[in-house]
Amino acid sequence: MNIGFGAHVEETDLTALTQDDVDGLRAALLTHGLLVIRNQKLSPAEQIRMSEVFGALETFSPGEGQLTDYPQIFRVASRPVEGHTNVGRYWHSDGSFRAQATPISIWYLVAQPAHGGETLFADLREAYRALPDEAKPAIDGLITQHRNGIKHPLVIRHPATREPTLYFNVGLTDGVVGYTPEQFMTLRNDLDNHLSRAGAAYVHDWREGDVVIADNFRVAHRATPISEDQHRILDRTTIRAGGVYWGRAQI
């Protein structure tokens, strides 16, 4: 990846991690924000075990297409009977609707489509750095509000590195404290365009067996459309706030 963030991890078997492997993955995620690990073969139980090296997992409600015995897995699919469809087609970080936001997301591709369904990733630290200097004071103190009433600073400091990053969910945020609806929509569109600026995104073209790990405070992502005539199944696990491992530290 030649875009300033993200890294490929080579020659790693996620079903047989040593402590050195675990330490290396945690450190690499904190350094790069996004890890791509190809050629894995994981059962749901194995995905859960490898995910837990980053912390305790969130759980999800049962539903059509979901894995009844594995509430830690949120299944996304191209077909409704196999998982959730039409989700996340806007810039966001998973779990931003929670009062204690989701720190890390981990995806594993179970079924590969012939085409379509790529995922875009953008560096939120670089997005903040790339803002004009004169624009930063105006946004540094802003508080965004989700549709469910949850509020977060627009500019957060990463809990481990303390570096500032933009933290904004384009689809689920419906206001900014102190802003009129018109002012909010202008800001929303500006931020959406800023995250989508030329050359800023890594586009991941999924292959069966891919594992992608994202630091949600450093990296935002956006799904792209995929039709039901394509067969794709993508299993996601997420680390809950409290007890997450950042490098060697548990925060």
Side-chain angles (χ1 to χ4, degrees):
M1 298 180 192
N2 298 313
I3 50 176
F5 74 102
H8 288 276
V9 179
E10 306 291 345
E11 299 181 0
T12 296
D13 180 356
L14 294 175
T15 67
L17 294 172
T18 66
Q19 189 59 51
D20 285 345
D21 294 331
V22 170
D23 291 343
L25 287 171
R26 291 173 181 168
L29 182 63
L30 192 58
T31 298
H32 300 287
L34 183 73
L35 303 179
V36 174
I37 308 168
R38 296 202 187 270
N39 302 316
Q40 301 299 303
K41 190 171 180 59
L42 303 176
S43 67
E46 287 169 335
Q47 181 178 354
I48 289 168
R49 283 198 296 275
M50 65 77 45
S51 299
E52 287 174 334
V53 306
F54 293 98
L57 298 182
E58 295 174 336
T59 58
F60 305 94
S61 301
E64 185 179 24
Q66 299 306 296
L67 304 179
T68 304
D69 295 334
Y70 302 99
Q72 303 94 330
I73 290 178
F74 183 88
R75 174 161 279 189
V76 177
S78 55
R79 301 169 185 174
V81 296
E82 293 182 323
H84 294 286
T85 59
N86 301 320
V87 295
R89 293 182 182 176
Y90 45 79
W91 289 114
H92 68 286
S93 292
D94 289 331
S96 63
F97 59 87
R98 301 178 186 269
Q100 300 296 318
T102 300
I104 295 171
S105 293
I106 301 163
W107 298 268
Y108 171 62
L109 189 74
V110 176
Q112 178 182 354
H115 56 82
E118 299 84 2
T119 303
L120 280 64
F121 295 90
D123 186 346
L124 298 174
R125 184 180 70 183
E126 182 57 30
Y128 179 76
R129 291 176 176 174
L131 290 170
D133 288 340
E134 61 272 18
K136 291 175 182 176
I139 70 167
D140 280 346
L142 295 181
I143 303 296
T144 65
Q145 180 169 298
H146 277 50
R147 294 176 188 171
N148 64 356
I150 294 298
K151 297 180 175 68
H152 292 296
L154 176 57
V155 179
I156 64 171
R157 290 196 173 271
H158 192 284
T161 67
R162 308 308 300 166
E163 293 175 309
T165 72
L166 281 177
Y167 190 72
F168 188 72
N169 187 315
V170 171
L172 298 185
T173 304
D174 68 358
V176 169
V177 174
Y179 269 34
T180 66
E182 293 76 18
Q183 288 173 316
F184 165 69
M185 288 305 299
T186 296
L187 178 66
R188 176 188 180 278
N189 292 337
D190 287 346
L191 291 174
D192 190 19
N193 290 334
H194 183 61
L195 292 171
S196 303
R197 67 197 185 280
Y202 163 67
V203 181
H204 186 71
D205 189 2
W206 291 95
R207 304 178 194 168
E208 191 168 325
D210 278 1
V211 172
V212 175
I213 307 171
D215 173 348
N216 283 315
F217 300 136
R218 167 78 186 275
V219 173
H221 61 280
R222 188 181 80 191
T224 58
I226 186 168
S227 62
E228 287 189 31
D229 68 322
Q230 295 297 304
H231 187 215
R232 187 185 76 162
I233 299 174
L234 189 62
D235 284 351
R236 191 197 73 188
T237 50
T238 44
I239 307 301
R240 65 173 174 81
V244 60
Y245 284 98
W246 294 117
R248 293 181 178 271
Q250 189 178 44
I251 298 175

